[in-house]
């Protein structure tokens, strides 16, 4: 008897319990060897006073099984409830969100009959670190963090995924023409890692035109990898243009634990009526079977499901007069898939999965350790909350604070240089960046010099709201210049 693989299952809210029952029925019918632990998450747990929607005992199960099949949940309305998905993702370090977006033409209506893309979204960094501050009356900020190890992990995952799934090309989207340091690092890491995969094509697009091309001609893409925010937006766009949000599953992969789910929510208005389409969760479960090494069961389930779609047996969300043959409920759809276990699709491409030796090899292939760059402190950006008069007035006052090895180099407002030599047309908010560099051209400065500058700034009555030290790394500038600089 093959060994049963322990997994943790949450039945969720709304349509969750129905689509989970249908999914587990199909997995069982296809011979999946699973040892299921059930946990409670979602609405009930939130309303019982747990603001994260998950009980401490549920974490123990997840740490034990390391595999989570999750139905959608309802986040109650009103403040104070934390997003369960974000909590699980961050707590368990699920760094890769993988979302295949496939069209099933001519069986499901779509404008893009040839679409077959997989979006690999970085899941932990970027603007989603949630570090936000209100700094002045007028200005708030959100910190965008991109790390080299984080970028290496996700980009390598995308290339490994492409190789394992017989894909031909990996495309990277960033906006590094504007965010030269953050998105620039992601792009640079992509170029470095792409060189290790000569068997796969690679390309980079600026995200705006890339997104336009994806929405217009998705068949031009294969596997896409991108930072968190672009991935969040574009994975929904891609799922929608493939035909239906009800048909897509997704995987959230970490180094220790992985979570599999449908991309849609708990659709409370459809709950309890045997109406919902279980396909999104089922395809999430197929990704789970591949992940735990039950690849032949994954193929059987996926192919039986494709054959069911081809046979025109559709739930209400996909059903179309003239295309579909029979409108069925959740349970009947699951039965129809089970009846077709062992069959393959006749028109659509049959699913084929490689046994996953993969995850282990991925870890072995960590990028070589970087040598530490020589880091020199060369100045400081002092941010001020100030709204008294013009940029020139402020510049002239700050020049009076020069000394002790530091001098005012320039000032910008919302990234636009306004001193020296600003333009009177530039709109200025109450948020000023004042750049002080060493008096000696290209010289280094000390923390002590910066502290004494801040004392002078405070004594002169200015409200400094934050500072950013300016460093070079092996002589390379580690900070951006200004527009107009
Ligand atoms: P939703 O995805 O639940 O529903 C959007 C629309 O799609 C609805 O018209 C619904 O009837 C339809 N739909 C969704 N899944 C379907 C399926 N399997 N079969 C047939 N039709 C389906 O999004 P929403 O209405 O914005 O959110 C409802 C609840 O779900 C909210 O509480 C939200 O917080 C939660 N949600 C949870 C998750 C998750 O757990 N991963 C994700 C998104 C939303």
């Amino acid at each position: 008897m093959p060994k049963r693989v322990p997994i943790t299952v949450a039945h969720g809210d709304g349509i969750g319990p129905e689509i989970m029952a249908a999914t587990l029925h199909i997995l069982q019918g296809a011979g999946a060897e699973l040892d299921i632990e059930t946990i409670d998450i979602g609405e009930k747990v939130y309303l019982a006073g747990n603001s994260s929607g998950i009980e401490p005992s549920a974490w123990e199960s997840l740490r034990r099984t390391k595999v989570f099949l999750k139905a959608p949940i309802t986040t109650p309305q009103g403040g104070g409830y934390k997003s369960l998905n974000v909590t699980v993702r961050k707590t368990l370090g699920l760094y890769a969100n993988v979302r295949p977006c496939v069209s099933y033409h001519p069986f499901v209506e779509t404008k893009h009959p040839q679409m077959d893309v997989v979006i690999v979204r970085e899941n932990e960094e970027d603007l989603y670190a949630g570090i936000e501050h209100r700094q002045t009356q007028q200005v708030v900020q959100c910190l965008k963090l991109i790390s080299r190890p984080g970028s290496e992990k996700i980009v390598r995952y995308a290339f490994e995924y492409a190789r394992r799934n017989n894909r031909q090309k990996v495309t990277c989207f960033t906006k590094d023409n504007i965010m030269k340091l953050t998105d620039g690092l992601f792009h640079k890491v992509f170029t470095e890692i792409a060189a290790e995969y000569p068997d796969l094509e690679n390309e980079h697009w600026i995200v705006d035109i890339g997104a336009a091309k994806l929405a217009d001609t998705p068949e031009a893409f294969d596997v896409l990898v991108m930072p968190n925010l672009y991935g969040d937006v574009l994975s929904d766009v891609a799922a929608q243009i493939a035909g239906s949000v009800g048909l897509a599953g997704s995987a959230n992969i970490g180094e220790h634990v992985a979570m599999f789910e449908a991309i849609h929510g708990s659709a409370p208005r459809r709950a309890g009526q045997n109406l919902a389409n279980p396909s999104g969760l089922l395809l999430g479960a197929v990704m789970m079977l591949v992940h735990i090494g039950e690849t032949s069961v994954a193929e059987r389930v996926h192919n039986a499901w494709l054959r069911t779609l081809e046979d025109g047996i559709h739930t209400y969300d996909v059903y179309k007069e003239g295309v579909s043959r029979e409108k069925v409920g959740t349970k009947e759809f699951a039965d129809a898939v089970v009846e077709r276990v062992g069959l393959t699709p006749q028109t659509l491409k049959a699913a084929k999965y490689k046994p996953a030796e993969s995850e282990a090899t991925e870890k072995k292939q960590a990028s070589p350790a970087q040598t530490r760059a020589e880091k020199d402190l060369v100045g400081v950006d002092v941010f001020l909350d100030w709204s008294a008069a013009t940029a020139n007035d402020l510049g002239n006052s700050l020049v009076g604070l020069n000394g002790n090895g530091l001098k005012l180099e320039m000032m910008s407002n919302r990234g636009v240089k306004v001193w020296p030599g600003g333009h009177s047309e530039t709109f200025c908010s109450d948020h000023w960046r004042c750049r002080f560099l060493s008096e000696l051209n290209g010289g280094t400065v000390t923390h002590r010099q910066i502290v004494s500058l801040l004392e002078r700034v405070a004594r002169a009555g200015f409200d400094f709201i934050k500072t950013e030290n300016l460093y070079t790394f092996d002589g390379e500038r580690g900070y951006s210049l200004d527009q107009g600089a």
Side-chain angles (χ1 to χ4, degrees):
M1 251 278 294
K3 201 165 157 275
R4 287 171 172 271
V5 178
I7 67 166
T8 301
V9 164
H11 290 258
D13 302 313
I15 58 171
E18 294 163 77
I19 60 173
M20 183 58 86
T23 297
L24 294 178
H25 175 54
I26 297 167
L27 297 191
Q28 203 175 29
E33 295 291 341
L34 302 171
D35 195 359
I36 294 173
E37 293 187 12
T38 304
I39 59 170
D40 267 341
I41 56 164
E43 201 170 19
K44 240 188 349 207
V45 182
Y46 281 119
L47 297 177
N50 188 322
S51 68
S52 58
I54 177 164
E55 299 278 8
S57 58
W59 292 113
E60 283 161 32
S61 171
L62 292 173
R63 288 205 177 91
R64 194 165 42 239
T65 67
K66 302 184 173 26
V67 182
F68 187 17
L69 181 62
K70 173 184 161 292
I73 59 141
T74 303
T75 311
Q77 295 288 311
Y81 300 110
K82 285 189 246 162
S83 156
L84 178 82
N85 263 6
V86 175
T87 304
V88 172
R89 223 184 271 155
K90 288 196 168 170
T91 308
L92 301 176
L94 308 182
Y95 65 88
N97 179 260
V98 185
R99 188 181 285 190
C101 300
V102 184
S103 58
Y104 302 100
H105 177 81
F107 308 102
V108 179
E109 201 171 35
T110 170
K111 293 193 188 88
H112 303 288
Q114 305 300 325
M115 179 170 181
D116 183 4
V117 306
V118 180
I119 300 206
V120 178
R121 161 190 171 193
E122 198 290 317
N123 227 357
E124 292 183 299
E125 303 194 337
D126 196 356
L127 290 155
Y128 290 62
I131 307 174
E132 295 192 298
H133 298 95
R134 178 169 176 182
Q135 298 175 320
T136 68
Q137 292 297 319
Q138 297 174 345
V139 176
V140 285
Q141 77 162 16
C142 176
L143 219 52
K144 170 160 169 141
L145 295 174
I146 302 274
S147 77
R148 176 171 268 277
S151 305
E152 283 174 355
K153 244 182 349 187
I154 191 71
V155 170
R156 194 172 291 290
Y157 184 88
F159 277 98
E160 285 293 323
Y161 179 94
R163 212 178 241 179
R164 205 165 56 239
N165 290 281
N166 304 315
R167 299 275 174 165
Q168 313 299 320
K169 182 168 77 172
V170 182
T171 304
C172 175
F173 282 0
T174 71
K175 186 82 184 170
D176 66 338
N177 54 335
I178 301 295
M179 283 159 280
K180 297 187 171 75
L181 290 183
T182 46
D183 281 21
L185 175 60
F186 196 92
H187 185 177
K188 188 166 173 219
V189 165
F190 177 79
T191 308
E192 287 168 11
I193 290 180
E196 297 173 30
Y197 295 82
D199 49 319
L200 294 167
E201 268 180 70
N202 70 83
E203 61 179 9
H204 171 268
W205 291 68
I206 298 295
V207 61
D208 40 31
I209 189 65
K213 176 89 175 164
L214 176 67
D216 181 63
T217 325
E219 57 277 14
F221 297 103
D222 195 345
V223 174
L224 289 134
V225 62
M226 56 194 93
N228 208 341
L229 177 62
Y230 313 139
D232 189 1
V233 175
L234 291 181
S235 55
D236 269 14
V237 171
Q240 182 69 39
I241 65 171
S244 167
V245 197
L247 292 179
S250 90
N252 289 274
I253 308 283
E255 273 172 27
H256 309 289
V257 181
M259 172 170 89
F260 303 86
E261 60 183 342
I263 68 166
H264 59 73
S266 58
R269 281 190 314 124
R270 307 286 179 192
Q273 299 158 61
N274 191 36
L275 278 174
N277 187 349
S279 299
L281 186 59
L282 184 67
L283 292 183
V286 166
M287 294 166 90
M288 176 191 77
L289 291 170
V290 175
H291 177 81
I292 61 177
E294 298 197 16
T295 42
S296 54
V297 187
E299 267 173 28
R300 276 204 297 280
V301 171
H302 201 160
N303 286 326
W305 176 78
L306 288 167
R307 183 62 176 264
T308 310
L309 273 195
E310 279 187 350
D311 286 348
I313 301 187
H314 295 164
T315 43
Y316 83 93
D317 54 316
V318 176
Y319 183 87
K320 191 155 195 282
E321 207 69 56
V323 177
S324 309
R325 207 164 48 103
E326 196 183 339
K327 194 192 279 183
V328 291
T330 315
K331 281 197 189 113
E332 295 71 27
F333 183 82
D335 288 339
V337 178
V338 173
E339 276 165 28
R340 286 164 179 76
V341 167
L343 299 183
T344 48
Q346 292 172 313
T347 308
L348 297 168
K349 196 170 109 207
K352 187 125 196 66
Y353 293 107
K354 276 192 196 156
E357 29 40 82
S358 57
E359 316 277 309
T361 31
E362 261 156 45
K363 274 183 210 142
K364 270 188 240 137
Q365 290 177 335
S367 294
Q370 297 275 314
T371 48
R372 280 186 80 80
E374 185 77 24
K375 181 182 178 190
D376 287 318
L377 182 59
V378 297
V380 63
D381 279 347
V382 180
F383 289 76
L384 299 183
D385 177 351
W386 189 80
S387 50
T390 66
N392 271 338
D393 294 331
L394 179 59
N396 294 338
S397 314
L398 292 180
V399 164
L401 305 178
N402 284 349
N404 195 20
L406 278 164
K407 73 168 197 309
L408 184 67
E409 177 72 16
M410 66 91 187
M411 290 181 344
S412 69
N413 196 295
R414 297 187 307 164
V416 181
K417 185 175 154 195
V418 291
W419 186 95
H423 297 274
S424 56
E425 296 82 7
T426 307
F427 171 79
C428 288
S429 70
D430 55 5
H431 188 274
W432 303 80
R433 171 167 66 165
C434 311
R435 175 161 293 173
F436 289 85
L437 293 176
S438 166
E439 275 172 1
L440 304 170
N441 198 9
T444 57
V445 300
T446 62
H447 286 98
R448 197 166 286 281
Q449 282 172 284
I450 291 175
V451 172
S452 93
L453 169 68
L454 292 179
E455 271 170 12
R456 297 197 295 279
V457 169
R459 239 183 281 123
F462 290 108
D463 177 13
F464 65 85
I465 48 184
K466 74 162 188 170
T467 63
E468 289 283 353
N469 287 349
L470 306 176
Y471 293 102
T472 58
F473 292 80
D474 285 340
E476 194 179 311
R477 192 167 31 81
Y479 50 92
S480 57
L481 296 177
D482 280 281
Q483 288 151 14

